[in-house]
C-alpha cells in the first residue's frame, strides 16, 4: 500500500523507514539524474525504481513527466510481477517495447493500464552496493 507525499512523490508504507535527511539528498540526486537522462535521450517521461531491502519488490522513488496519481499501480511492484520494470531487474537486461502491439503481446496487464501510443524502455541500473 502506498501514499502520495505532499510533493507528489510516491511513498510506500512499511518496509523502509525513511531518514528525512538521507532520503531528501538521495531523492534530489535521483531527480537530477532522471532529468539529465530524459534531456539526453529526448523522452517525455521517466521513473526510477529502487530495490526494496528484502529484494522482493521495487519502489517507485522518483518520476518526471507523469503525474504520480497515474503511476499509483506501480508505487510498489513485486519483483515477480509480469511487468517490464520487474523483468529488467530479474533478468538484469534492458527491455524495449517500441509499439503498443508488442506491449500488449508481451505484457497484456500493463498494456491495459497504459492504453496510449508510446514506447517503453526499462533498464537495470546498479551501484557498487547492488
Amino acid at each position: 500500500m502506498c501514499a502520495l507525499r505532499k510533493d507528489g512523490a510516491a511513498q510506500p508504507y512499511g518496509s523502509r523507514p525513511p531518514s528525512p535527511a538521507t532520503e531528501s539528498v538521495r531523492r534530489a540526486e535521483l531527480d537530477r539524474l532522471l532529468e539529465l537522462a530524459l534531456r539526453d535521450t529526448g523522452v517525455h517521461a521517466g521513473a526510477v525504481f529502487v530495490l526494496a531491502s528484502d529484494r522482493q519488490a521495487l519502489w517507485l522513488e522518483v518520476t518526471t513527466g507523469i503525474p504520480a496519481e497515474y503511476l499509483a499501480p506501480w508505487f510498489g511492484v513485486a519483483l515477480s510481477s509480469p511487468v517490464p520494470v520487474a523483468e529488467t531487474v530479474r533478468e538484469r537486461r534492458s527491455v524495449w517495447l517500441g509499439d503498443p502491439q508488442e506491449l500488449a503481446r508481451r505484457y497484456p496487464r500493463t498494456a491495459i493500464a497504459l492504453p496510449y501510443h508510446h514506447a517503453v524502455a526499462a533498464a537495470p541500473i546498479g551501484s557498487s552496493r547492488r
Side-chain angles (χ1 to χ4, degrees):
M1 179 162 275
C2 300
L4 291 179
R5 296 184 338 201
K6 288 181 183 178
D7 64 3
Q11 181 61 48
Y13 290 120
S15 74
R16 55 186 170 116
S19 158
T22 303
E23 289 293 314
S24 179
V25 169
R26 183 176 84 161
R27 188 166 284 109
E29 183 64 9
L30 287 173
D31 280 334
R32 186 183 74 77
L33 293 172
L34 181 58
E35 289 292 336
L36 288 172
L38 267 62
R39 186 196 68 206
D40 291 349
T41 59
V43 301
H44 300 286
V48 174
F49 291 81
V50 296
L51 190 58
S53 60
D54 66 4
R55 304 182 65 83
Q56 299 300 308
L58 299 168
W59 297 114
L60 179 61
E61 191 70 19
V62 296
T63 183
T64 189
I66 307 169
E69 298 83 22
Y70 177 77
L71 294 171
W74 292 280
F75 284 174
V77 176
L79 205 54
S80 60
S81 295
V83 297
V85 69
E87 182 177 306
T88 198
V89 173
R90 278 193 318 269
E91 298 183 9
R92 296 184 179 167
R93 65 173 183 84
S94 296
V95 172
W96 168 253
L97 304 160
D99 61 63
Q101 292 79 21
E102 185 177 9
L103 179 67
R105 182 176 51 78
R106 291 178 59 189
Y107 306 97
R109 291 183 354 188
T110 302
I112 289 170
L114 301 171
Y116 311 104
H117 185 81
H118 65 282
V120 173
I125 302 170
S127 72
S128 61
R129 292 186 301 176
R130 53 175 133 174

